[in-house]
């Protein structure tokens, strides 16, 4: 097909209903009923149609994106933000590839599990079904529009997308491509709607629309998410902070310990899985810290240590209580020397945000105890915390990393966007 | 062991900290850290010790319960309420049997699932872990104190129990037995705490204590739960209403249809799985309704029908729009004649509370469509809706029936009181 979307004459439903989230909500609820029973084939066809349309219309997309970028420059947005806002041939190709990858994943919907036959002969099973209507609230990266739409669609949900105001025109254009892709496959266009307003009141409305929205996935800074959590009536799958720890055990292999600690801190400073505090067993502190401090200093990482750390690494600044609590998301590392595995786990229990922690050890018992007893959403042995990512876990895709305890914990893939209903079949069995 | 609990001289921790839920919360959080790693053996031993203590101390328990009953009679509680409040030899034996049954169930904690090896050689799995601290808010049945404590304990959680004010003394006595049972097995007594006050402010405090409580399971009337949901900051696993439907399809076996409909309505009027509206395909309405109406009339059930129903069953009252929305929880049944499976599913989509629905049919395609397309937490084929119960599903026990979509949907057994954390093991793999 070479049909092109004409952004100027095909107003998206979103843009025309910009002001009233209840209209979007009602449309989403209606679409959800159809999406729930859409075949895996139709959903894959829609995703492939979107990928094709993205590539076909990349020049138009870039032109729309240029308007957002011009406005953002006029508003003196920081270069890093401008970079995230930009749709290039490369980012468009990457979005299209992501769509094809999700299209090829198995359909999670309708599978039965835990099937049992009860003594009275009735069959009990659980069927994986969509959550219903998912709201996504995110910041200025327009590629999230495509990623989030694709994951929610694949898992049989309807979606309402509320992106950053800087990306509004880009998101509306991407939303039109998504809606045309849905229509190509015979699926309801309202299964994905982009909120066509930058009015902040829309967010306040979305998070309280319990009648039409089943769950909200906020993607953004800790401040935004904490504020949404305080006001939301709709359940959130929320991603708060990642104050992640690596503990170098007495029985650590020193080379692995060095490389894992460096990777955990420096793979990317800004990711939630970045190590923020390093705990080192007193028995190996003098053996590992000088070398580690040199490597990290070479990479420009500022060290803040406890007194025992500073006795070994004099150039480290003095760490305060506040340092143990801080998610730096930057080139700073807090270091504390501890006397035992238990002391390390006590520190983690006291200060961790329960995101991701790792132990480096060759001792099986220490590894098992750490993995069993540390109460974080991900607990590693001999791996850097920066592996905290749905793709790395083999989920194929990720809508975010949940710091909730209920429903989905840690990286959230397609299964996290679904729930289970009970299906029972009998032949007239009665109760009592 | 023949050691007896002396209620008069061993004040429970709960009673002494009656006023401040944060004290209970902090104690629960500390206990939860120990409970998380308690062995299955220790947890089973605690449950068995509780069962033994219940039987040993049944005379003392009945004496304490008599005080609650005397107060309740003075307050002119209804006979049905008094009945639910009473601890008899039989109810105590039943509680003890329940404890032993839960003791014998497999420990859900620590099991690994979905283990995969990633291309880089690291192992990814999910480990079942407790939720943490669970608050239970319930009404005046003291047996819930034992059931809920046992389920939360078995699943490795700490629990704060807030029962009805009428049962306060009974609940404190049962709480002491539970705490002594925990101590017998070397587990922290604060793993189960009974709130020792009838102050309503305690509930308001519990549902907002996000620092110390991970989830609240409210068990009670729809009004109570809706109010808690409006004010809660702690996530709720909530059980709202059960407006359940049975649809008698054109291809229904008429005998099965009759028996299933009668059982669904009359097994017990007050259970959430009771049928409230019967949908009947027009093609069999004249064949099934007269006989069904006679049986239900004999059992004292009032019928309220649509016009087409009343043309066949003249004694039925006229149903109003309000009837389709109502969970009677009593001997009343709404009946509507529909023209198709789709019309039945449209009615259910419009009026159901998404609890439990059933189709009676011998047609495979109708059964499959109904089970796939109806969006309720339980969807049956050829079974009465009154099977909605964790024991009937083979869960072994049930903390409630969730009308949430996230986390746990439908009957909630031990697994619903747990969550999954990710455990990754490597040998120094690095990222990027």
């Amino acid at each position: 097909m070479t049909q092109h979307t004409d952004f100027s004459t095909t107003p998206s439903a979103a843009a025309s209903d910009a002001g009233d989230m209840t209209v979007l909500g009602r449309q989403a609820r209606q679409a959800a009923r159809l999406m729930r029973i859409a075949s895996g084939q139709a959903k894959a066809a829609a995703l492939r149609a979107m990928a094709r349309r993205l590539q076909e219309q990349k020049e138009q997309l870039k032109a729309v994106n240029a308007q957002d970028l011009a406005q953002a420059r006029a508003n003196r947005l920081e270069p890093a933000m401008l970079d995230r806002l930009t749709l290039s041939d490369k980012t468009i190709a990457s979005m299209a590839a992501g769509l094809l990858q999700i299209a090829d994943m198995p359909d999670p919907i309708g599978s039965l599990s835990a099937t049992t036959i009860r003594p009275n002969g009735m069959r009990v099973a659980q069927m994986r079904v969509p959550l219903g209507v998912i709201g996504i609230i995110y910041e200025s990266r327009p590629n999230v529009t495509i990623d989030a739409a694709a994951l929610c669609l694949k898992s049989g949900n309807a979606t309402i997308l509320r992106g950053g105001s800087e990306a509004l025109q880009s998101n509306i254009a991407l939303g039109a491509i998504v809606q045309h892709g849905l229509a190509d496959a015979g699926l309801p266009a309202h299964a994905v709607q982009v909120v066509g307003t930058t009015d902040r009141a829309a967010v306040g409305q979305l998070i309280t629309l319990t009648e039409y929205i089943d769950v909200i996935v906020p993607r953004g800074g800790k401040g935004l998410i904490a504020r949404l959590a305080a006001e939301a009536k709709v359940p959130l799958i929320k991603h708060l902070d990642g104050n992640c720890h690596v503990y170098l055990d007495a029985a650590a292999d020193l080379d692995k310990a060095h490389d894992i600690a460096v990777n955990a801190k420096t793979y990317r400073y800004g990711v939630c899985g970045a190590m923020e505090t390093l705990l080192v067993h007193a028995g190996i502190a003098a053996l590992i810290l000088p070398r580690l401090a040199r490597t990290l200093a070479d990479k420009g990482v500022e060290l803040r240590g406890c007194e025992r750390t500073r006795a070994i690494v004099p150039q480290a600044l003095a760490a305060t209580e506040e340092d143990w609590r801080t998610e730096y998301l930057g080139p700073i590392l807090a270091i504390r020397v501890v006397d035992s595995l238990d002391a390390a786990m006590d520190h983690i229990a006291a200060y961790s945000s329960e995101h991701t922690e790792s132990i480096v050890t060759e001792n099986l018992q220490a590894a098992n105890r750490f993995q069993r007893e540390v109460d974080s959403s991900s607990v590693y042995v001999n791996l850097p915390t920066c592996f905290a990512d749905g793709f790395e876990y083999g989920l194929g895709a990720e809508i975010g990393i949940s710091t909730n305890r209920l429903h989905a914990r840690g990286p959230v893939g397609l299964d996290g966007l679904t729930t289970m209903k009970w299906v029972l079949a009998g032949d007239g069995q009665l109760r009592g």
Side-chain angles (χ1 to χ4, degrees), chain A:
Chain A
M1 277 205 293
T2 55
Q3 182 192 346
H4 283 259
T5 306
D6 180 346
F7 300 134
S8 60
T9 62
T10 311
S12 81
S16 57
D17 302 316
D20 191 351
M21 294 305 109
T22 61
V23 173
L24 266 65
R26 199 175 301 116
Q27 289 170 170
R29 182 61 82 205
Q30 285 164 356
R33 200 175 160 198
L34 297 169
M35 287 305 295
R36 204 165 68 224
I37 56 172
S39 70
Q41 223 164 18
K43 291 184 286 188
L47 291 164
R48 291 202 185 90
M50 291 171 200
R52 195 184 55 240
R53 285 175 174 274
L54 265 182
Q55 292 286 20
E56 286 170 0
Q57 296 164 36
K58 69 179 175 184
E59 297 308 324
Q60 291 144 282
L61 267 177
K62 286 190 289 184
V64 171
N65 182 244
Q67 299 170 23
D68 279 337
L69 283 168
Q71 183 65 51
R73 278 191 208 96
N75 293 343
R76 300 186 185 284
L77 232 67
E78 289 179 21
M81 294 284 278
L82 288 174
D83 189 50
R84 295 169 66 192
L85 180 53
T86 304
L87 290 177
S88 64
D89 285 353
K90 193 178 155 199
T91 56
I92 293 171
S94 161
M95 287 190 284
L99 286 166
L100 295 178
Q101 193 188 348
I102 294 171
D104 286 339
M105 289 172 68
D107 185 4
I109 297 305
S111 68
L112 293 180
S113 56
T115 305
T116 56
I117 307 289
R118 300 294 302 150
N120 67 357
M122 71 185 190
R123 194 186 67 218
V124 177
Q126 288 187 281
M127 183 187 284
R128 195 168 284 285
V129 294
L131 284 174
V133 177
I134 300 179
I136 316 271
I137 297 171
Y138 55 105
E139 295 180 338
S140 62
R141 275 193 293 188
N143 63 309
V144 173
T145 306
I146 294 295
D147 287 356
L151 287 170
C152 293
L153 187 165
K154 181 78 180 189
S155 48
N157 296 286
T159 322
I160 298 174
L161 297 161
R162 209 292 188 175
S165 56
E166 301 85 357
L168 182 65
Q169 297 310 322
S170 307
N171 286 337
I172 290 176
L174 290 166
I177 286 178
V178 167
Q179 293 196 328
H180 282 93
L182 284 160
D184 287 346
L187 294 175
H190 287 155
V192 178
Q193 298 176 88
V194 169
V195 175
T197 170
T198 59
D199 184 357
R200 275 165 188 274
V203 170
Q205 228 188 326
L206 285 175
I207 62 175
T208 54
L209 265 187
T210 50
E211 187 181 353
Y212 296 123
I213 304 183
D214 295 299
V215 59
I216 299 263
V217 182
R219 295 175 54 150
K222 187 179 166 182
L224 167 76
I225 293 171
R227 187 170 59 78
L228 293 182
E231 293 167 20
K233 287 293 151 199
V234 178
L236 304 184
I237 295 180
K238 62 178 183 290
H239 178 173
L240 280 167
D241 47 343
N243 184 15
C244 301
H245 298 73
V246 173
Y247 165 56
L248 308 181
D249 186 48
D253 175 289
L254 295 183
D255 287 335
K256 277 185 214 166
H258 172 271
D259 294 351
I260 288 171
V262 170
N263 192 234
K265 182 71 237 178
T266 66
Y267 163 67
R268 282 192 197 164
Y269 297 119
V271 295
C272 55
M275 168 177 68
E276 306 293 11
T277 295
L278 177 72
L279 301 168
V280 185
H281 191 282
I284 62 161
L287 299 174
I288 183 86
L289 281 179
R291 179 179 162 204
L292 194 55
R294 273 196 305 277
T295 309
L296 291 171
D298 286 349
K299 291 178 176 273
V301 176
E302 174 186 319
L303 304 182
R304 301 185 186 176
C306 66
E307 281 311 306
R308 294 161 83 182
T309 300
R310 297 179 73 211
I312 300 166
V313 184
Q315 70 270 33
L317 305 176
T320 65
E321 176 74 14
E322 189 57 25
D323 283 300
W324 311 134
R325 301 189 187 284
T326 302
E327 183 188 19
Y328 301 114
L329 294 174
I332 305 173
L333 177 66
I335 306 179
R336 185 173 202 174
V337 174
V338 294
D339 285 317
S340 64
L341 170 62
D342 281 294
M345 293 197 295
D346 285 343
H347 180 100
I348 290 170
Y351 298 107
S352 164
S353 64
E354 301 181 358
H355 189 291
T356 302
E357 333 292 341
S358 183
I359 185 173
V360 181
T361 189
E362 301 298 312
N363 180 302
L364 181 63
Q365 205 190 336
N368 285 346
R369 279 198 61 205
F370 189 86
Q371 208 150 38
R372 176 80 197 269
E373 298 184 23
V374 170
D375 188 29
S376 296
S377 66
S378 290
V379 188
Y380 298 172
V381 173
N382 290 331
L383 291 168
T385 49
C386 57
F387 272 116
D389 177 289
F391 286 93
E392 295 292 338
Y393 286 29
L395 299 182
E398 171 192 294
I399 193 86
I401 297 188
S402 166
T403 52
N404 289 8
R405 299 186 70 88
L406 270 71
H407 188 65
R409 213 178 163 199
V412 181
L414 288 176
D415 280 0
L417 301 178
T418 67
T419 183
M420 303 295 261
K421 75 177 177 190
W422 295 90
V423 289
L424 275 68
D427 191 33
Q429 287 88 341
L430 303 179
R431 187 162 181 205

